[in-house]
Amino acid sequence: MVDATHALIAGSSGSGKTVLSRMMHTDFSGISVFMTPKGSESVLTDSPPASIIRTNADYDSDIKRVRDWAKARSEKVQIIVDECQMTGLSDGSGPVVDGLHLDRDDGIKWVLVTQSPQDLRASYSALQQCKRIYWVGPARTFHSGFLRYYKLSDIDFPNRFEWIRITPSLPPVVEGPFMTDEALA
Ligand SMILES: Nc1ncnc2c1ncn2[C@@H]1O[C@H](COP(=O)(O)OP(=O)(O)OP(=O)(O)O)[C@@H](O)[C@H]1O
Ligand SMILES: [Mg+2]
C-alpha cells in the first residue's frame, strides 16, 4: 500500500475550509470519513467514498473509534477532522497525535482542519507529519507564529473562498490559487 500523505487545512473563519475539506471527502479514492464536532448523526459504513461521523460526544473517543476501525481495513482510509483544535492536538496527546506519527504506513491519511494552527503548537512535531498544508483565504496577524515556524511568511495568500496547496519544503512550493466548490457550500 502506498504511504498516505497527511494534510493540514488552515485559514481564518468563514474562508471556506470546511467546504474544501468536503471537496477532499468527495474526491478521495478510497473510504473517507468526515468528522465534525457539530451535530449528532453517527453513520459509519463500509462503502466508499462517503462515510460520515458527526459527534456530540467526546471528540477524541469518537476519533479513536474511527481510527481503530480504519486500522482494521485493507483499503486506504482518509479521516478528516474538522475543528481539530477541539481534540487532544491542543495539548499534544490523543488519537490524532498517535495517528499522525504511526498511521502513514497503514494507509490512513489524516486531514486536519483548523482556524488557528498556533492552538496546536503543543503538537508541532506531530504536525510536521503533514507534508501538505492547504491555506484557505487571507492570512491574519494571529497566524504569524505558525507562518514563521514553517517559513511561509513571504508567500502570497489567496482571497476568501480560494485556497493554495503548500509543500513546506525550503523554499516552500506553492500551487494555486484554486476556488472552493460553490456547489458544496
Ligand atoms: N466558493 C464559494 N462560493 C460561495 N460561498 C462559499 C464558497 N465557499 C464557501 N462558501 C460559503 O462560505 C461560508 C463559510 O465556508 P466554510 O464553512 O467552509 O468556512 P470555514 O473556513 O470552515 O469557517 P469556520 O472557520 O467558521 O469553520 C459557508 O456558508 C459556505 O457555504
Ligand atoms: Mg469550518
Side-chain angles (χ1 to χ4, degrees):
M1 186 177 290
V2 182
D3 283 356
T5 304
H6 304 319
L8 173 68
I9 300 179
S12 49
S13 175
S15 55
K17 298 181 298 298
T18 297
V19 170
L20 172 60
S21 69
R22 285 292 193 175
M23 290 168 66
M24 292 169 73
H25 180 61
T26 307
D27 293 346
F28 189 68
S29 59
I31 300 178
S32 180
V33 182
F34 182 86
M35 303 204 60
T36 167
K38 298 168 187 163
S40 56
E41 181 191 349
S42 180
V43 183
L44 190 53
T45 71
D46 287 350
S47 50
S51 306
I52 300 178
I53 290 281
R54 294 188 184 178
T55 174
N56 54 10
D58 177 69
Y59 206 12
D60 275 329
S61 335
D62 273 2
I63 293 168
K64 182 176 182 314
R65 183 164 67 88
V66 171
R67 181 179 177 228
D68 292 344
W69 173 88
K71 282 170 88 74
R73 309 205 57 85
S74 53
E75 33 316 48
K76 276 173 76 175
V77 179
Q78 168 176 266
I79 305 175
I80 299 174
V81 183
D82 201 4
E83 308 289 353
C84 71
Q85 76 285 353
M86 293 175 67
T87 74
L89 267 176
S90 297
D91 43 48
S93 62
V96 182
V97 174
D98 295 345
L100 288 173
H101 283 304
L102 300 173
D103 292 353
R104 203 173 46 226
D105 301 344
D106 286 336
I108 300 175
K109 173 187 174 121
W110 289 86
V111 178
L112 313 174
V113 187
T114 192
Q115 270 184 33
S116 177
Q118 289 95 305
D119 292 348
L120 313 177
R121 59 186 171 272
S123 296
Y124 271 6
S125 66
L127 284 187
Q128 282 175 330
Q129 303 300 320
C130 294
K131 303 299 184 196
R132 295 284 184 281
I133 298 172
Y134 293 79
W135 196 277
V136 189
R140 307 281 185 219
T141 315
F142 64 85
H143 293 132
S144 57
F146 175 82
L147 299 176
R148 265 201 312 278
Y149 182 85
Y150 280 96
K151 302 187 170 49
L152 304 177
S153 322
D154 293 338
I155 66 178
D156 290 331
F157 289 91
N159 299 312
R160 192 177 183 215
F161 304 151
E162 288 181 351
W163 52 277
I164 51 176
R165 192 172 93 147
I166 305 165
T167 306
S169 47
L170 272 181
V173 177
V174 179
E175 296 157 272
F178 309 101
M179 277 295 276
T180 50
D181 184 352
E182 201 175 350
L184 292 170

